[in-house]
Amino acid sequence: SVSKPVPSLPSPLLIHSLGDENRSVLSLVADAEHIYAGGQCQDISVWSKETCTLKTSLRGHTGSILALEFAEEKRWLFSASGRLIHQIWSTANFEQIYILYPYLETGAGDLFSLAWNSSFQIIYIGCQNTSLQWFGFSEDQIGQQIRETSSGVSTPTRKVHKFFDSYPQYTHKPADRFANNFGSLSPPSLERDTSGNLALAFDIPASNVIDSAHYGYVYCMAIVPSSGTDTNNIHSESGRYDQLLTGSGDETVKLWDCVLSGPKLLHTFECSHGAVLSLAVRSDTVFAGCQDGYVKVFDLETKTLVRTIIVQENVDILSLSMIHSDLFTCSANGQVQRWSPSFNCTSSWKAHDGIVLSSVITQSTEANGFVLVTGANDGFVKIWDMAVPLEVNNNEMFIEHTFAHLNGDDDHGVYDTLTYALSTFVSIPSVSSDPLHREDCRQAAIWLKKCLHQLGAESALLPTCEMGNPLVLATFQGTQGEQPKPRILFYGHYDVVSAPRDGWNSDPFTVLGRNGYLYGRGVTDNKGPILAIACAAAELLRRRALGVDLVFLIEGEEEVGSTGFVDTVRKHKVFLYTLFSCCAAAYSHQAQIGRIDAILLSNSTWITEYPPCITYGLRGVVHAMVAISNGAPDQHSGVEGGAVVEPMLDMIRLLATLTDSQKKVAIPRFYESVRQQTEDEKQLYALLSQVTGSPGSVLSSRWREPSLTVHNLVVSGPGNSTVIPGTVTAQVSLRIVPDQDLESVSRSLVSHLQASFNSIQSPNALSVTIERTADWWLGDLDDPLFIALESAIHEEWGVQPLRIREGGSIPSIPNLEKEFGCRALHLPLGQSMDRAHLPNERISLANLRRGKSVVERFLAKVANADVLCVRR
C-alpha cells in the first residue's frame, strides 16, 4: 500500500459493549435515541443510547436480519430478512406498520441490502437473485395493492413459504405458518398487542423490478447525495436528482438515476477485486469495499478511478462508515481502520474477536459528539468514542455565511469571500509534481468547482488522461441583450509547485496576512488571481451587470507540462446538442466550452512593485534530454582511466558545440526567423529602463531574444571522484521568440547535436529526446480588447500601465489561441517581489482587490456592442 502505514491517532476508547455472544450482529442503524441491531435470531434489538440497555426487541421476521435502513423524516425503520420478508416499523412506538413482500417471493432469495430515497419516498431492495426492486410510499403509491391482514392479530400475517413452512413429505400435509422448521428458533408471536393495530401488507409489482440488475448478488446500496447521519455531505451543487449506487458480487458498482418510474442505469464502475460488499459516499466520491481487502475510490463527476486503498489483502471489507472526510473500514479479521482524506491510515485497532459485519456512525448523547458503532459475529455491538476531525475538510463544505455577503449592498462581503476562499484554496496542497499529492490535486479541483458554483457559475469537472488531474470548467452566464453576448475564456491553473519548509517563515499551506500581503504557496501563482477574477464575475452577477459569458477553464498540471490539456479542450470545445431530456441537454451544455471571442489569463507579475503592467508577449521553449552512454557498467578511474572513451568527456565536447565564442547559439540558421526590433519597441525599452534601472538591452535579451540553457548533468552510479560513469545525461532548453518555428527549431537542435557527435567519432552512443515544447506568444497591441483592458487598468489605478513581455512560457496560451481562433490577453496581478515558486510566496491584498475591480471594468467594456463589433 502507498498509504502511510503508521497510525497517527490513538485507538478510540471503547465506551460500552452490548449484546449476546451467541448472536451475530449482521446489520446496524441508529437514530437520535436508539441503536438498532439486526442479527441471526429473527429479532431486532433496540438499545437505548442514554442507558446502554435493551429497550425492546422487534419481532416478526422468520430469518436473519440482513439489512436495516432508517427513514428519518418518517421515523420508520426498514428491515430485510433472509426469509424473504421486508418489514417497516415505527420508531416512535416500535410497532409494525407495513409488510412488504418482494416480487417472486421465494424466487427473490435473501434480501441483502436496502436504501431509502427520501426525495421520492421510495425504498430500494437488493436481492440474492440479482434483481433490484423498489416500492414507493407516497400517498399515490401507497394506495395500490394494500392488503390488510386478516388474522386479527397485531403481528401481520405472513405468506406461507412452500419450503420453509413445509412438513415432512410422509405427512402429506400442505405447508402452513405453524410448521417450525427453524430448529430452536421460535416463530414470531401471534398475540394481539395492547394497541390492537393491524399492519398493512404490500406486494412489489413486476413493474418495480429490474431483473439481472447485476450478474451477482446485490450486497450493498447507497443513495447519492448521501443523507446519512454518518457524513457531512451537502447536496450536489449541480442540482442533479438523487442517484442510487449498487454493489454486487459481479465486482462492479452501478450508478442509477432515481426517477419515479424506476432506476435508470447511468454508469458501471469496474472494481476487479472480488465482490463489492460495502459502499460509502462523500459528496462526489464513492468508496467501494471489496472482497479482496481493497477499497476502490471513484469520482462520480468524471466517472474515473482515483485511488485504490489496500486495507489488508485477502481480508474482506464488510462495512464502511464515514465521519466528515474520514473513512472507517471494517474487516473480516476484526480490525477497524481509520483513513484520512489523503488516504493515509491514521488509526487501527482490534475491534472484535470475530468478523466485523456492520457499522454505523451516529451522534452520541453528548453535544456535538459522535460514536462509531460496530457489530460482529462475536455477538457484540461495541460503541467507540470517536474524535471528530478538528478541521473539517473544506473541500466538501463552503461556509454559507461567507457567501451571504455577496447579497449585500457593498463590496466588503466580496472581499471577505475572496480572502476566506483563498485561505481555504491554499490549504489544499495541490502539488502536481508529487504523486503523493495526486488526491490533493483532485480535491482542489472538486473544491474549486464547488466554489465557482456557489459564486454563480455552472461548473463541472472534465477528465484529462489516465491518472491525470481534471480540468475545472465553469461558466458565469451573462444577461442576454439585443446582440449576441461576447464569450471570454479565463485560463488558470490550480496546481502549485512543491513547498519545502526550508526558507519559509510560516506554514506554506496556511495563508498568513502580514503588512498588507498574504503569504502562502499559490497565492500569486495562480490561486489568488483565479479567485479574484471569480469574485469579479460574482459581483457583476449580484449587480445584474454581467454582460458577457465568462468561461473558466482551470487546469491541474500547468506546472508539469499540461499533459492531456489540448486533447481535452478539443474534445469539449464545441457545444453538444442532444435529443435527450432537458436535464441531459442542460448537462451537455454545461460540460462544453463553446464559442470563445477572447482569452484572458493572469499568471505572472509586474516588472516592479509599481506601476501596474500589462503583459503582451512570452517566449516559447524546447526542452530536450541528451544522453551519451558506452553501454558498459560504471568503471573505476584508477583501473580503466585512459583505456576507455569516457561519456562525460564526449558530453562536454558536445555541449560546447551549442554556443560560439560570442555566447550565441551555434545551431545553423537559428536566428534567421527572429523578428527585428521596431522603433516603437526601442522607445518602450527606453521607458522601461528608466523605471527599472536595468539597461534596455538586458530587458530585450530576457524577453524578445532566443537563448540556450544547459540545466544540469546527471551521471550513472554513485557520482564520486573515482568512478567513470557509463551514462551521462544533460537537460538542455532553447527559448524561442517570434517568428521562430517551434517544430523547425526542435528538429534543428536534434540534427545539430547528432552531426556534432558524429564529428567526434566516438564509439559511445548518443540519444536526444524532445521532452516537451511550448510555442511563443505575442499579443496584438492594436486589438480593441487589448485597448479595453489597458483602459480598465488605467481607470482603476490612475496611471497608464507599462507594456511588458516575459522570458518564460505558458504552453496553454498559444494552444488556446489556435483552438478557438481568437487572441489572448494577459493581466498580471502580482508584483516583482512576490517570489512565485520560491519560499515566502506572497501577493498584495490591494493588488487582489484592485485586480478584481480591473476585471469588472474590463468585462463591462467588453459587453459594449461597439467593442465587440470593432473586433469582429
Side-chain angles (χ1 to χ4, degrees):
S1 174
V2 298
S3 301
K4 293 181 180 178
V6 180
S8 57
L9 294 177
S11 299
L13 174 68
L14 178 61
I15 299 175
H16 217 92
S17 294
L18 315 171
D20 181 348
E21 62 185 16
N22 296 317
R23 297 186 177 189
S24 294
V25 180
L26 304 175
S27 51
L28 286 169
V29 75
D31 60 18
E33 299 175 354
H34 304 102
I35 296 171
Y36 304 87
Q40 282 182 309
C41 298
Q42 306 177 5
D43 57 346
I44 302 169
S45 300
V46 182
W47 299 90
S48 168
K49 282 186 179 180
E50 184 175 3
T51 64
C52 292
T53 57
L54 184 65
K55 188 166 185 178
T56 188
S57 293
L58 307 181
R59 296 182 174 89
H61 283 286
T62 58
S64 300
I65 314 301
L66 300 179
L68 295 172
E69 177 72 317
F70 182 55
E72 183 176 10
E73 74 281 5
K74 287 183 172 289
R75 300 190 68 183
W76 286 1
L77 174 68
F78 295 86
S79 58
S81 168
R83 293 290 184 260
L84 318 174
I85 299 176
H86 175 67
Q87 304 204 29
I88 301 97
W89 315 77
S90 168
T91 60
N93 55 22
F94 305 117
E95 294 178 357
Q96 289 176 319
I97 50 179
Y98 299 116
I99 299 177
L100 189 60
Y101 293 103
Y103 178 67
L104 293 181
E105 298 191 18
T106 59
D110 291 343
L111 310 182
F112 284 120
S113 53
L114 300 170
W116 171 252
N117 185 328
S118 59
S119 299
F120 293 143
Q121 303 284 286
I122 291 175
I123 188 71
Y124 299 97
I125 307 169
C127 302
Q128 185 179 13
N129 73 340
T130 75
S131 70
L132 175 61
Q133 305 190 17
W134 65 93
F135 192 85
F137 285 90
S138 66
E139 290 185 4
D140 293 338
Q141 296 166 319
I142 208 170
Q144 301 176 10
Q145 301 192 17
I146 294 180
R147 185 181 61 223
E148 185 171 319
T149 54
S150 59
S151 64
V153 296
S154 60
T155 301
T157 301
R158 62 176 175 83
K159 292 190 174 183
V160 175
H161 193 289
K162 65 182 180 181
F163 176 77
F164 294 112
D165 294 324
S166 63
Y167 289 92
Q169 188 173 9
Y170 67 86
T171 64
H172 300 289
K173 292 178 62 175
D176 61 44
R177 291 183 294 103
F178 301 101
N180 185 3
N181 291 323
F182 305 111
S184 62
L185 305 181
S186 301
S189 170
L190 298 178
E191 298 196 1
R192 181 184 298 272
D193 66 12
T194 56
S195 67
N197 291 332
L198 299 178
L200 299 178
F202 303 92
D203 289 306
I204 294 180
S207 59
N208 286 19
V209 178
I210 297 177
D211 292 313
S212 299
H214 283 270
Y215 296 107
Y217 301 167
V218 185
Y219 284 120
C220 50
M221 294 194 291
I223 293 291
V224 183
S226 174
S227 58
T229 58
D230 58 341
T231 70
N232 69 338
N233 288 323
I234 55 175
H235 284 269
S236 171
E237 297 83 355
S238 61
R240 67 162 182 250
Y241 293 118
D242 285 352
Q243 296 172 339
L244 175 70
L245 289 163
T246 56
S248 170
D250 62 6
E251 305 187 30
T252 68
V253 174
K254 292 191 175 183
L255 178 66
W256 309 80
D257 191 18
C258 295
V259 294
L260 285 174
S261 60
K264 308 297 181 185
L265 183 62
L266 297 176
H267 189 77
T268 300
F269 297 98
E270 299 288 342
C271 291
S272 304
H273 279 287
V276 180
L277 303 176
S278 50
L279 287 169
V281 183
R282 183 189 73 200
S283 188
D284 286 334
T285 305
V286 177
F287 302 85
C290 299
Q291 194 172 24
D292 287 351
Y294 287 65
V295 175
K296 310 292 281 192
V297 186
F298 297 101
D299 185 277
L300 285 176
E301 182 83 20
T302 60
K303 307 297 189 296
T304 55
L305 174 70
V306 297
R307 190 66 174 257
T308 297
I309 303 174
I310 305 174
V311 179
Q312 186 170 344
E313 289 190 285
N314 301 315
V315 179
D316 298 353
I317 309 297
L318 294 165
S319 183
L320 298 174
S321 289
M322 297 204 72
I323 181 169
H324 299 320
S325 56
D326 281 13
L327 173 72
F328 291 84
T329 58
C330 302
S331 303
N333 60 359
Q335 288 288 124
V336 175
Q337 291 175 298
R338 183 172 185 166
W339 303 83
S340 73
S342 298
F343 309 126
N344 293 317
C345 182
T346 58
S347 186
S348 178
W349 72 98
K350 182 75 170 179
H352 290 268
D353 294 325
I355 302 172
V356 186
L357 298 166
S358 52
S359 66
V360 65
I361 290 179
T362 182
Q363 284 192 300
S364 67
T365 54
E366 299 179 1
N368 301 320
F370 286 86
V371 293
L372 171 68
V373 184
T374 58
N377 70 343
D378 60 7
F380 287 103
V381 174
K382 295 189 177 182
I383 304 174
W384 307 89
D385 186 22
M386 194 50 50
V388 179
L390 294 178
E391 185 176 330
V392 177
N393 186 356
N394 282 308
N395 304 358
E396 299 301 328
M397 297 175 61
F398 209 87
I399 296 178
E400 293 295 333
H401 78 264
T402 303
F403 287 95
H405 291 294
L406 291 171
N407 297 320
D409 296 327
D410 55 55
D411 290 340
H412 296 296
V414 178
Y415 294 148
D416 291 341
T417 299
L418 175 56
T419 55
Y420 168 75
L422 182 57
S423 66
T424 306
F425 201 7
V426 169
S427 72
I428 308 171
S430 49
V431 181
S432 54
S433 61
D434 188 347
L436 294 179
H437 287 289
R438 182 176 293 123
E439 174 60 16
D440 291 315
C441 290
R442 188 179 77 94
Q443 291 298 330
I446 292 173
W447 181 90
L448 181 59
K449 185 201 79 165
K450 295 181 178 183
C451 171
L452 295 175
H453 179 83
Q454 287 177 287
L455 288 171
E458 292 297 326
S459 57
L461 298 184
L462 306 181
T464 54
C465 56
E466 184 177 359
M467 304 305 291
N469 299 327
L471 302 184
V472 180
L473 173 64
T475 301
F476 290 88
Q477 297 282 351
T479 56
Q480 184 64 57
E482 296 181 359
Q483 301 292 332
K485 289 179 294 183
R487 291 178 55 82
I488 309 299
L489 185 147
F490 173 73
Y491 164 82
H493 64 93
Y494 61 80
D495 64 319
V496 298
V497 298
S498 61
R501 294 301 178 93
D502 292 344
W504 283 85
N505 296 329
S506 59
D507 181 354
F509 296 107
T510 300
V511 171
L512 175 67
R514 186 172 63 244
N515 297 330
Y517 290 90
L518 300 178
Y519 290 82
R521 176 58 83 223
V523 291
T524 194
D525 184 20
N526 183 233
K527 293 180 177 181
I530 289 172
L531 293 180
I533 291 168
C535 287
E539 173 64 16
L540 291 173
L541 279 177
R542 184 185 71 82
R543 301 202 310 254
R544 308 297 190 268
L546 183 62
V548 304
D549 288 346
L550 184 59
V551 181
F552 276 65
L553 187 63
I554 314 298
E555 68 160 311
E557 299 194 36
E558 191 270 350
E559 302 290 5
V560 291
S562 301
T563 305
F565 177 79
V566 174
D567 290 340
T568 305
V569 169
R570 287 172 181 165
K571 180 179 179 181
H572 293 274
K573 72 176 184 179
V574 180
F575 280 113
L576 178 65
Y577 295 101
T578 69
L579 299 178
F580 299 122
S581 65
C582 294
C583 291
Y587 175 78
S588 62
H589 181 283
Q590 170 186 311
Q592 303 299 317
I593 300 170
R595 185 197 82 248
I596 296 299
D597 296 307
I599 299 160
L600 176 67
L601 70 150
S602 179
N603 194 21
S604 65
T605 60
W606 299 348
I607 193 173
T608 60
E609 299 295 279
Y610 187 83
C613 301
I614 185 169
T615 303
Y616 71 94
L618 298 167
R619 291 194 293 187
V621 67
V622 176
H623 284 283
M625 183 180 73
V626 184
I628 299 176
S629 176
N630 61 13
D634 299 334
Q635 297 169 319
H636 195 296
S637 62
V639 176
E640 299 294 341
V644 297
V645 179
E646 298 185 19
M648 177 64 81
L649 297 177
D650 284 352
M651 180 65 76
I652 293 171
R653 284 192 288 268
L654 180 63
L655 295 179
T657 68
L658 290 173
T659 57
D660 60 20
S661 59
Q662 304 300 315
K663 301 180 182 180
K664 295 291 186 179
V665 179
I667 298 174
R669 297 179 297 280
F670 182 73
Y671 292 96
E672 283 186 358
S673 301
V674 175
R675 188 180 300 183
Q676 297 300 308
Q677 193 175 86
T678 65
E679 287 300 320
D680 289 342
E681 284 183 285
K682 291 178 181 179
Q683 294 178 15
L684 174 60
Y685 284 121
L687 172 62
L688 294 175
S689 178
Q690 295 175 8
V691 174
T692 64
S694 297
S697 59
V698 173
L699 296 176
S700 177
S701 65
R702 291 174 181 171
W703 295 348
R704 69 167 329 277
E705 295 176 13
S707 64
L708 180 143
T709 302
V710 177
H711 299 279
N712 56 46
L713 287 176
V714 179
V715 300
S716 58
N720 60 42
S721 60
T722 62
V723 173
I724 299 173
T727 300
V728 180
T729 60
Q731 295 286 338
V732 177
S733 72
L734 289 169
R735 296 288 175 173
I736 64 172
V737 297
D739 291 302
Q740 290 178 300
D741 180 70
L742 181 63
E743 296 299 326
S744 298
V745 169
S746 299
R747 290 193 301 267
S748 296
L749 173 63
V750 175
S751 299
H752 175 79
L753 288 170
Q754 190 64 60
S756 300
F757 185 75
N758 292 340
S759 68
I760 297 174
Q761 297 183 347
S762 171
N764 297 323
L766 169 73
S767 68
V768 182
T769 304
I770 302 299
E771 294 187 316
R772 63 183 187 273
T773 63
D775 214 343
W776 52 266
W777 168 73
L778 193 64
D780 182 358
L781 302 183
D782 296 322
D783 189 297
L785 292 175
F786 181 91
I787 295 172
L789 180 58
E790 197 171 42
S791 173
I793 298 172
H794 182 225
E795 290 172 7
E796 175 61 32
W797 288 94
V799 296
Q800 192 67 21
L802 298 176
R803 296 178 173 182
I804 63 173
R805 291 167 68 168
E806 289 196 19
S809 307
I810 301 178
S812 301
I813 298 309
N815 289 330
L816 288 173
E817 283 193 333
K818 293 172 184 176
E819 290 297 326
F820 293 102
C822 60
R823 303 305 296 264
L825 306 163
H826 196 168
L827 171 68
L829 296 188
Q831 296 170 313
S832 60
M833 297 299 290
D834 277 356
R835 299 177 61 83
H837 290 206
L838 299 174
N840 299 314
E841 180 181 345
R842 71 176 197 182
I843 194 168
S844 165
L845 188 56
N847 277 38
L848 276 179
R849 293 176 172 176
R850 301 191 78 167
K852 167 189 163 294
S853 297
V854 168
V855 173
E856 291 176 24
R857 295 175 185 273
F858 169 68
L859 295 178
K861 293 176 182 292
V862 174
N864 184 308
D866 293 337
V867 172
L868 183 63
C869 290
V870 168
R871 183 190 178 278
R872 290 178 175 174

